[in-house]
Amino acid sequence: MGCVVRILLTDPTMEVCLLSLPKRGQHMFSQIRSLTACFALGLLLCSGAAVASPVVTATSASGLPGSTVTTTMRIVPDSPASVDMGSLIGWNLVLNWGAAPLSFDPASSTLRFGADAPIGLTSFLASLPPDLTVNHDALGGFYRFDWADLNSGLDPQTLLNRLAQGVLLSASFNILANAAPGSYEIGFEQGAGPSSLTDAVLSEFQYASVTSGDPMRVVVERSPTVPEPGGLSLMVCALAVVLVSARRRWGGVPQ
């Protein structure tokens, strides 16, 4: 099998050198040039274009024990992408905070597709076909939904084509009243598997954490120190004694 690739020499000196060679040398040079061209073409065809995965980023939020905070996770398609986010037939999303002193509030969380207005997470899930399972394990410290188009008769494109512009999850967490100060990371993987996206040709993208930047986390701040009631009374008495002594010294109080 021969190679049909032809390489043109653009350097005139190369053409002169080639023409000045004996016929046998010209034939050998031509063979070398053809083999080199075939090898380069093979590398190009085998390597193909670079395939990128969607980019997953997140933010952190901070608050005091007993407060509610919102942290975000964003998925943006890259091009050329390993999975077509505009024609999904499967979507699994996991939030795993484990033993962190947090509780997830799905009713106050939202999804935003591209530049669209945010929509409530629970409202969006209610619009999906019935091939959906939601598992909110408050004690286990995770929330996940698993959706797949199991020949439900509904075109997933009509429901999820907005994902082609990316999606932003704004997750609402309540910080428990007894939470210890610290930084608590939220992952995207649980025992049943990581978060994932599957398109119509069964290409799949899985992610257990962010693919760029810092992870999703909630930072619990330390509450301001408040003196005990007994200690506060002692401080007031001591301040009063200091003030009376000062006034006597300056002649403000009769002896």
Side-chain angles (χ1 to χ4, degrees):
M1 181 176 65
C3 179
V4 297
V5 176
R6 175 179 295 176
I7 296 180
L8 298 178
L9 295 177
T10 57
D11 188 346
T13 59
M14 292 289 291
E15 294 287 359
V16 172
C17 292
L18 175 60
L19 293 175
S20 62
L21 290 174
K23 290 186 177 181
R24 182 177 179 182
Q26 293 181 28
H27 178 68
M28 181 179 299
F29 185 92
S30 177
Q31 285 184 325
I32 294 175
R33 185 176 61 179
S34 297
L35 289 174
T36 303
C38 289
F39 180 74
L41 179 62
L43 287 178
L44 177 64
L45 294 177
C46 291
S47 62
V51 178
S53 296
V55 179
V56 182
T57 57
T59 63
S60 56
S62 58
L64 295 171
S67 64
T68 300
V69 298
T70 299
T71 183
T72 65
M73 184 267 289
R74 185 187 298 272
I75 307 176
V76 179
D78 206 348
S79 181
S82 59
V83 61
D84 182 5
M85 289 179 59
S87 61
L88 295 182
I89 61 170
W91 187 12
N92 306 320
L93 187 144
V94 181
L95 296 175
N96 188 352
W97 58 96
L102 306 170
S103 64
F104 177 58
D105 185 4
S108 300
S109 302
T110 63
L111 291 169
R112 183 175 183 179
F113 299 93
D116 293 352
I119 181 175
L121 174 61
T122 53
S123 299
F124 172 76
L125 294 180
S127 70
L128 290 178
D131 307 317
L132 169 74
T133 59
V134 178
N135 188 355
H136 185 185
D137 189 339
L139 295 178
F142 73 88
Y143 173 92
R144 77 176 291 143
F145 71 74
D146 300 273
W147 174 80
D149 181 49
L150 302 179
N151 299 319
S152 61
L154 295 177
D155 181 4
Q157 186 103 8
T158 62
L159 294 168
L160 299 176
N161 58 358
R162 289 172 294 180
L163 272 167
Q165 301 301 317
V167 59
L168 174 70
L169 167 67
S170 296
S172 179
F173 284 93
N174 300 313
I175 302 176
L176 301 185
N178 61 347
S183 178
Y184 300 93
E185 186 173 327
I186 301 165
F188 309 137
E189 183 177 23
Q190 186 261 336
S195 298
S196 64
L197 300 168
T198 305
D199 65 17
V201 295
L202 302 183
S203 296
E204 185 178 42
F205 166 64
Q206 296 184 343
Y207 59 99
S209 183
V210 297
T211 61
S212 177
D214 295 330
M216 176 185 279
R217 61 165 62 98
V218 171
V219 178
V220 179
E221 299 174 337
R222 187 179 302 276
S223 299
T225 303
V226 178
E228 296 294 331
L232 182 60
S233 299
L234 291 175
M235 290 176 59
V236 172
C237 292
L239 180 60
V241 170
V242 171
L243 290 176
V244 170
S245 299
R247 292 182 65 185
R248 286 178 176 176
R249 182 180 306 171
W250 297 331
V253 177
Q255 297 295 328

